[in-house]
Amino acid sequence: MAERAKEGGFFELMIELQINGRVLSVPEAATILDASRLAGIEIPTLCHDERLAAAGLCRLCLVEVAGQSRPQPACATPVRAGMVVETHTADLEAGRRAALEFLAWNYPAREIERRPDKLFHRWLMQYGVRGSERPRAIWPPVFKDSTHPYLAADLSRCIDCFRCVRICEEVEGRSVWNELGRGAGTRVVPDGSSLLASSCVSCGACVDTCPTGALEDQSAVGHMEPERWTRTVCPYCGVGCELFAGSRAGRVLRVKPVLDAPVNRGHLCVKGRYAFGFNHSVDRLTQPLLREGDEWRPISWPEAIQRLAGGLTEIRQRHGADSIGLLGSARGTNEENYLVQKFARVVLGTNNVDSCARVCHQPTAAGMKSMLGTGAATNSFADIEQAAGFLVFGCNPTEAHPVLGARIRRAVARGAALVVVDPRRTELAEMADVHLALRPGTNLPLLHAIAHTIVIEAWQDPIVFGDRISGWEEFRSFIGEWTPERAAEICGVSADAIRRAAEIYARCKPSMCFHGLGVTEQGQGTEGVMALVNLALITGNFGCPGSGINPLRGQNNVQGSAHMGCEPGHLTGFVPLAEGRDRFARCWESSIPVGPGLNLMEMIDAAAAGRLKAMWVIGYDILQTNPDTRVTRAALESLDFVVVQDLFMNELAREVADLVLPAASAFEKDGTFMNAERRVQRVRAVVPPPGEAKADWRILCEVAAAMGHGDGFGFDSPAEIWDEIRSLWPAGAGISYARLEQGGLQWPCPNEVHPGTAILHTDAFASGRPASLRIIDYEPTSETVTPEFPFLLSTGRVRYQFNSGTMTRRTANQWLQADDFLDMSAVDASALGLRDGDRVRILSRHGACHLVLRVSEAMSTGLLFASFHSAGAGLNALTGPHRDRHEGTPEYKVVAVRVEPVT
């Protein structure tokens, strides 16, 4: 027995065995099937999938093991030192052929010819087994369904491998597919009369694992096969799932998961796997457009660049550099966002640059950085499987981050404890040991009461008495006032439930915290994040596997956009301006403006006041998504010059823009994204952009050159831009494109032999000093209920749509959920004389909108919920001017409203 060093300094035990006369050295944890594949020996399998526990059902992988009286399943038999194995004896091969003949006796031969790539078909052809030219009808009839927009089922081709049943349970954490009957009469059926009527969430895992085509993508039925597969990253949420995009003739035809991806482990959600149709939507922008009166005139790129450069130059000369604002994009690459902020500071001479991180997780970055020294997730998604407990606070992972949510579901099903804090009874809340359905706007009292209970019960970790944490005595004194009874009255939950939640988080260790916009989009969002950090510090739930404070970032590169410097107070690497100004100035050979820049919300204020004259907005529809639509629209209409750069003519472009530039999508350019666990991953072009559309980085470089800064923007590729980023960002210096070809890396990664950092703060905090517990006074929101506005409304995402719907509403996801709804409890609906499906008018102190009512068991009395994916719904007419007092993030999650029937 020997040891072999693996990359990153880890070791695994190796053993020797003999397979087909060859002596092999393989990992001790391997199975015979693993060992054979490492040696290039292919053993037939049908029921095996690397993502699933070994089942040994199909018996195709039987092998002969010396000393065993009968053949053993290679997929389920661990290797042993000295083991002697034969994989392809005459008897074994005869048995495999017989098993295949049994499975194929009534299997349609035409399907083998139509899809020779399917695993079952490949083995049939290899062993010379034919299907039936005239299959007999099966009684009772098997399940067939072609009504789903993405999935097609014809279980006459089912061979009872049960991979669909198992992958739904073991990977997605559901039980859509079930075995019905016994013996030869066994059938696989869904838990509904059709897939649309079942509990299926359209992740496509069953299709991905099916070896026959009994379950297929609709896009594979009667359509062309991709001729090229490109590994890239999903363009939707911040989980950062890796996928293979199949293309042909310049179109994305199909998507499948990357099986060995560390983030998603061979799984995707409905958006990542199927919602790529936006890329070829007929209304993609394909050429620059100039507004002339009420019409749009197509113009050439040279004219567009000249008009943009000239417009910015004129406004800067007349009103100064700080009269212009730039917004980067969470849908853009790291390289593109780096150029956005460099353009603002070098070409224009202003720190007026921001991104949509402002309206979501900027409080996370600020709160965590101020306490821990790093404003990003402390741990990795891989820690989910190591956590003994979870605190899921203000987020709904199974809807907004489905791949991650599925992993949490499975961990809880295996026995991990779960506390969910959410006004709604979400899917995870249904599984939770404790669900705290608090009133919106009362996060801080609840968090203080949990901390109080931990202190009073002496459940704190001994670490609080060491040298890594400061302020313990002051914190203990402050928190003594926040009894569960006091918080219960404010939050609308029971004191006993608060105590039980505190016990789970403190004693089911390690415990991992995930939080979302239910924490940050509040008047005290930054302080809410700090209060979560307080809990992690006093319980010792940091710096070790299965623990930490982990924000669930909303968009594919929202973490990267701010980290690259699209933030008025920070440069690349989230370095404060004062700290990094000299170093960046030397690299850029340009002075960096000293004056404080405006964030997005301050830009809107400045536009309304007449101080901001122009905005260049890249990949971000602020008219639809900003709060208080009436005020936002008036401010934007007062600008002299608005440029929108996007895939589509969005609401901002349609109503306000003077110049619209066609941008390339994530499927059409190279670069990198940074996911919510600090992992940088390669994005690769799958197809070319349509028409004259260009990647954002190319447009930025061309405008910079037209404004006399060609030397500082003379990049020929994203790789060149990335190398400049690495030179300025010490924590990312070791993340080269060459290394990223082998897989993503998590920063800090200071040099090219460093493996990346999965867990932060293991020995010390990035600040280099002890973390100080924060004393935070609670300040109630001004959005309170009154007889005129008796309900509190929160807003959020749903599984089948994404943010403003720019992408998903141009896909077949519309079949799965097309509309936004207002969710209300049955008690409240009855009291108002309303019924499910009624169209209602919602009014706040700031505006009104119309939605369809959905009576929901998930809602408590007095609380409402609505999604915001449709421009037509106009939900942000309701939201007001209230913001987080530190970072300016809008208070989207708390709005007092009343509801009236539409007559």
Side-chain angles (χ1 to χ4, degrees), residues 4 138 163 171 178 449 503 541 552 861 873:
R4 183 183 70 185
I138 299 174
R163 282 167 65 162
V171 173
N178 298 277
E503 182 177 17
N541 277 309
L552 293 184
T861 57

Side-chain angles (χ1 to χ4, degrees), residues 150-328:
Y150 294 131
L151 311 176
D154 180 355
L155 269 62
S156 66
R157 287 178 259 163
C158 178
I159 58 172
D160 294 338
C161 68
F162 304 125
R163 282 167 65 162
C164 58
V165 176
R166 292 157 53 216
I167 204 165
C168 192
E169 292 178 350
E170 297 178 30
V171 173
E172 177 54 37
R174 302 179 188 276
S175 299
V176 176
W177 295 104
N178 298 277
E179 302 169 39
L180 185 66
R182 301 182 64 181
T186 302
R187 296 286 183 270
V188 174
V189 296
D191 62 358
S193 58
S194 68
L195 287 172
L196 286 173
S198 74
S199 62
C200 176
V201 294
S202 308
C203 70
C206 57
V207 168
D208 195 61
T209 196
C210 179
T212 69
L215 300 172
E216 280 196 290
D217 289 337
Q218 288 280 16
S219 61
V221 179
H223 296 281
M224 293 187 300
E225 287 294 301
E227 60 185 5
R228 178 170 172 261
W229 291 91
T230 305
R231 183 169 180 160
T232 189
V233 178
C234 177
Y236 284 101
C237 79
V239 174
C241 297
E242 286 191 273
L243 54 84
F244 283 112
S247 60
R248 187 185 187 102
R251 293 180 66 90
V252 178
L253 299 181
R254 208 164 304 151
V255 164
K256 60 185 181 182
V258 174
L259 297 185
D260 63 351
V263 171
N264 49 311
R265 300 181 176 183
H267 193 34
L268 292 171
C269 76
V270 60
K271 293 187 286 289
R273 184 175 176 97
Y274 294 117
F276 54 81
F278 71 88
N279 211 63
H280 308 296
S281 178
V282 294
D283 62 341
R284 276 290 299 272
L285 292 170
T286 59
Q287 59 189 136
L289 299 172
L290 179 68
R291 188 189 294 273
E292 293 184 342
D294 294 330
E295 303 296 326
W296 291 100
R297 178 170 68 86
I299 61 176
S300 68
W301 269 111
E303 182 180 353
I305 297 298
Q306 194 54 49
R307 283 185 177 271
L308 175 50
L312 295 178
T313 300
E314 179 184 356
I315 288 174
R316 184 180 60 184
Q317 290 172 344
R318 289 172 53 197
H319 303 285
D322 288 336
S323 67
I324 304 171
L326 261 69
L327 295 179

Side-chain angles (χ1 to χ4, degrees), residues 354 358-359 362-363 520 522-523 526 599-602 627 881-892:
D354 210 357
R358 178 64 45 196
V359 300
Q362 195 61 32
T520 60
Q522 305 266 358
T526 301
N599 65 41
L600 164 60
M601 303 310 298
E602 292 168 338
H882 314 300
R883 302 171 190 172
D884 171 69
R885 60 181 181 175
H886 293 281
E887 294 300 315
T889 299
E891 192 180 44
Y892 289 108

Side-chain angles (χ1 to χ4, degrees), residues 822 833-841 851-854 901-902:
L822 178 70
L834 299 172
R835 294 179 297 179
D836 190 83
D838 284 353
R839 188 161 182 80
V840 296
R841 185 176 186 226
L851 287 174
V852 172
L853 181 72
R854 185 167 61 183
V902 174

Side-chain angles (χ1 to χ4, degrees), residues 423-425 790-793 821-837 840 852-866 899:
R424 295 188 295 155
R425 190 165 182 81
F791 297 100
L792 285 180
L793 170 72
F821 295 95
L822 178 70
D823 289 349
M824 175 183 283
S825 73
V827 171
D828 287 333
S830 177
L832 293 174
L834 299 172
R835 294 179 297 179
D836 190 83
V840 296
V852 172
L853 181 72
R854 185 167 61 183
V855 177
S856 170
E857 295 180 356
M859 302 308 301
S860 302
T861 57
L863 303 182
L864 307 175
F865 174 82
V899 179

Side-chain angles (χ1 to χ4, degrees), residues 62 72 155 215 221 252 266 291 574 699 812 820 894:
L62 291 177
Q72 303 295 307
L155 269 62
L215 300 172
V221 179
V252 178
R291 188 189 294 273
F574 217 66
I699 300 170
D820 292 315
V894 194

